[in-house]
Amino acid sequence: MDDRKLYTLYQLQSDISEVLAEAFTDSLWVRSEVSECSVNRSGHCYLTLVEKEEKSGRLLAKCSAVIWAQTYRILSAHFRSVTGSDIVAGMNILVKVQVNYSELYGLSLNVRDIDPSFTVGNLELERQRTIARLSEEGMMDINSSLELPALPRSLAVISAETAAGYRDFMEHLHGNQYGFTFATTLFPAPMQGAEAPSDIIAALDTIAQRIDEFDAVLILRGGGSVMDLVCFDDYELALNVAQFPLPVLTGIGHDKDYHVIDMVAWHNLKTPTALADFFIEMFVHEEQAVAALISRLKLALKSKSHRELALFDNMKVRIRSAVSLKASEALRRVDLLQTRLIAANPRTLIEKGYLVVLKDGRRIATGAELVPGERLKVMFSDAVVECEVISSEIKNNAI
Amino acid sequence: MKEKMSYEEAFTELERLVVGIEDPERDLSGIENDVKRAMELIEYCRSAIRGEQEKIENIINKSDLSNENI
């Protein structure tokens, strides 16, 4: 028993420390995932780094690391300027570390440097993988094949309640200059951080239970850094958006490129305000379409009534010409009468040598009733002669 | 007017009627009913765009609620 070499704990630890110091003299670059990250009051940053198996997500390795305050101030500023974010849990990072073993605290990696472009590139890589997977699964065009009603008035909005983007959207939509009315219902969810995807999915589930009440779902966020918006590249969230039974429209404030949920959504716009405009424009479009039909209708009716008027005018012409035709006929008749009248005028007859005989001032045409002694007047053209009947003889054909 | 007609249905019917009315072969006397129906549809579409049905429904719903409260 006694020939066993006994170590004190301290001795063991210092031996390990020595061996490690010899084995890892230079600092080295390590890539890993941040599982925990906190900065203490002195400004030192304590990290828990992990590595997971890619497919199963099973933990393969775990180690603590520290960035001392002096280094952290410089590194975090640099990191933020490139990625737009602080180092947070869930992120993949590439760090230059010095292996350190302390008898009291065990193994720790002392971070000397960080390469933020790795984090950005890694996100992009992951994004591309997610896009490829969703395309392969046929998720890209599912939501966009749904039909959005011509007048989408009832809108379910997923946003952070206090977000500026949400406020802008509400002001823009409800304050539209045309006076269109919309009914919006907010389903609040945080729009950044590791919890965002599952919270947004939960909001979608709530909406799904009230599906008949809504025409469309809107996901709003008023902009942010690359890392803030990384939740919108989440595979599970994209899958839920793609398969949602109502059209999902996104207004996530960014102008550089798409997020994965923009690609699977029914439609995406650059900002919440642009999304509000999109809905207002739909109503403007419909109002214009109806107005166009109204003017076509008016025009059609007008041209028809013009045609009827033209027909009426034509009728007037025909009536007038018919009337004038009749009038000329009448005139001809008058002419004829006149001719006959002229022909019948006693003066004409007298001038021709016929005689007009008057009895008691009246013209008489027969003499059978005249008796001897009666007085008659005979009219010549130049004189009136008074005569007395001497005798009369009735004849059947006197002339 | 049909009950629960959608705006899309109303608009499609209106469009069809207008095309019919525009037909130069048809004269004023023959389209009287179509014009009347078109006018109804225009009113319907206009109020749908302006959300008047919803406004009325809201008022009804609110009054229902207030009755329940009483």
Side-chain angles (χ1 to χ4, degrees):
Chain A
M1 286 288 268
D2 285 337
D3 46 346
R4 287 175 303 185
K5 189 182 177 191
L6 292 176
Y7 282 91
T8 65
L9 189 59
Y10 177 79
Q11 274 172 338
L12 175 64
Q13 302 274 72
S14 33
D15 280 4
I16 295 171
S17 176
E18 253 173 61
V19 171
L20 284 175
E22 273 170 38
F24 301 99
T25 46
D26 298 327
S27 52
L28 33 98
W29 288 98
V30 176
R31 62 190 167 102
S32 69
E33 185 184 324
V34 178
S35 89
E36 284 169 49
C37 176
S38 63
V39 181
N40 76 0
R41 237 188 291 168
S42 328
H44 305 307
C45 177
Y46 294 93
L47 300 158
T48 304
L49 302 178
V50 294
E51 183 176 345
K52 292 173 185 166
E53 199 177 60
E54 199 167 311
K55 290 234 168 89
S56 65
R58 191 170 60 89
L59 210 58
L60 293 176
K62 186 174 176 177
C63 186
S64 52
V66 62
I67 314 173
W68 301 118
Q70 211 178 349
T71 316
Y72 183 68
R73 271 197 296 277
I74 300 159
L75 291 190
S76 65
H78 175 51
F79 190 81
R80 200 180 302 113
S81 75
V82 175
T83 64
S85 170
D86 290 325
I87 300 164
V88 291
M91 212 174 248
N92 281 292
I93 56 171
L94 179 63
V95 281
K96 193 180 190 185
V97 296
Q98 180 70 56
V99 176
N100 179 61
Y101 195 89
S102 144
E103 292 80 357
L104 203 52
Y105 304 108
L107 184 70
S108 171
L109 302 174
N110 183 357
V111 178
R112 300 280 178 81
D113 200 0
I114 189 162
D115 181 359
S117 62
F118 171 82
T119 303
V120 174
N122 195 265
L123 279 177
E124 182 54 30
L125 216 65
E126 212 162 291
R127 206 173 80 103
Q128 294 304 332
R129 269 203 293 269
T130 306
I131 291 168
R133 183 172 170 194
L134 290 164
S135 308
E136 213 169 278
E137 290 167 345
M139 291 296 154
M140 288 301 178
D141 304 317
I142 290 187
N143 196 259
S144 58
S145 66
L146 295 175
E147 204 158 321
L148 185 68
L151 300 173
R153 177 168 272 119
S154 293
L155 310 174
V157 182
I158 301 177
S159 175
E161 201 163 355
T162 54
Y166 174 64
R167 203 183 52 232
D168 290 349
F169 171 81
M170 293 296 275
E171 279 173 10
H172 208 77
L173 185 77
H174 292 297
N176 74 81
Q177 55 170 321
Y178 309 100
F180 296 127
T181 54
F182 294 91
T184 50
T185 309
L186 177 69
F187 294 84
M191 287 289 143
Q192 65 187 69
E195 300 303 308
S198 58
D199 284 347
I200 296 169
I201 291 168
L204 284 171
D205 289 344
T206 312
I207 296 166
Q209 286 160 19
R210 298 168 55 183
I211 198 154
D212 291 341
E213 296 174 41
F214 303 108
D215 296 320
V217 178
L218 283 59
I219 298 177
L220 301 183
R221 195 194 193 284
S225 70
V226 178
M227 291 308 303
D228 283 345
L229 300 175
V230 76
C231 58
F232 298 113
D233 289 331
D234 184 80
Y235 171 77
E236 286 297 326
L237 177 59
L239 202 61
N240 273 271
V241 167
Q243 296 176 314
F244 201 74
L246 284 177
V248 178
L249 290 91
T250 57
I252 298 163
H254 52 83
D255 39 30
K256 265 195 251 160
D257 53 6
Y258 288 99
H259 289 278
V260 176
I261 70 160
D262 292 335
M263 301 172 85
V264 296
W266 192 88
H267 190 54
N268 77 88
L269 286 128
K270 295 293 181 194
T271 61
T273 313
L275 194 51
D277 278 334
F278 174 82
F279 283 98
I280 296 163
E281 284 303 318
M282 284 188 77
F283 280 73
V284 170
H285 174 264
E286 288 306 317
E287 197 157 66
Q288 282 171 348
V290 171
L293 283 182
I294 292 170
S295 38
R296 274 171 67 184
L297 187 63
K298 276 185 185 163
L299 198 68
L301 291 177
K302 209 171 174 182
S303 74
K304 276 190 214 301
S305 60
H306 272 169
R307 205 179 57 192
E308 304 275 303
L309 268 180
L311 281 178
F312 180 66
D313 282 348
N314 187 25
M315 198 70 91
K316 273 202 295 195
V317 170
R318 281 165 62 191
I319 289 168
R320 205 173 289 136
S321 65
V323 165
S324 67
L325 197 73
K326 287 209 165 59
S328 60
E329 204 173 309
L331 271 177
R332 229 182 17 252
R333 274 197 205 130
V334 170
D335 284 351
L336 200 67
L337 280 177
Q338 199 177 19
T339 317
R340 285 168 63 190
L341 204 62
I342 290 166
N345 192 333
R347 190 177 292 275
T348 320
L349 292 173
I350 290 164
E351 277 167 2
K352 286 183 177 167
Y354 294 99
L355 294 178
V356 172
V357 182
L358 302 173
K359 182 190 166 189
D360 302 330
R362 281 187 187 172
R363 190 180 163 199
I364 56 166
T366 58
E369 281 162 30
L370 292 175
V371 289
E374 265 181 315
R375 285 183 174 271
L376 302 169
K377 279 181 180 168
V378 175
M379 293 178 77
F380 292 94
S381 64
D382 53 352
V384 177
V385 177
E386 210 165 319
C387 311
E388 199 181 286
V389 178
I390 306 296
S391 67
S392 75
E393 188 185 335
I394 295 165
K395 268 187 173 176
N396 281 336
N397 279 311
I399 299 172
Chain B
M1 191 146 298
K2 246 197 295 174
E3 259 186 74
K4 275 273 175 184
M5 172 188 248
S6 78
Y7 169 82
E8 286 86 347
E9 286 167 346
F11 187 87
T12 310
E13 189 184 345
L14 175 60
E15 203 168 29
R16 191 171 51 74
L17 284 174
V18 170
V19 170
I21 291 165
E22 282 174 331
D23 182 354
E25 298 292 305
R26 300 177 68 188
D27 55 27
L28 268 184
S29 54
I31 56 170
E32 200 180 306
N33 285 338
D34 284 0
V35 172
K36 214 178 123 196
R37 175 72 178 152
M39 294 302 189
E40 284 173 5
L41 290 168
I42 286 170
E43 266 325 294
Y44 178 82
C45 287
R46 274 180 162 167
S47 65
I49 293 168
R50 286 288 155 192
E52 273 146 31
Q53 283 98 338
E54 283 80 358
K55 270 185 216 159
I56 292 162
E57 272 171 31
N58 281 346
I59 292 165
I60 292 166
N61 289 343
K62 271 177 195 160
S63 65
D64 280 354
L65 285 177
S66 58
N67 284 344
E68 276 172 26
N69 288 341
I70 294 160

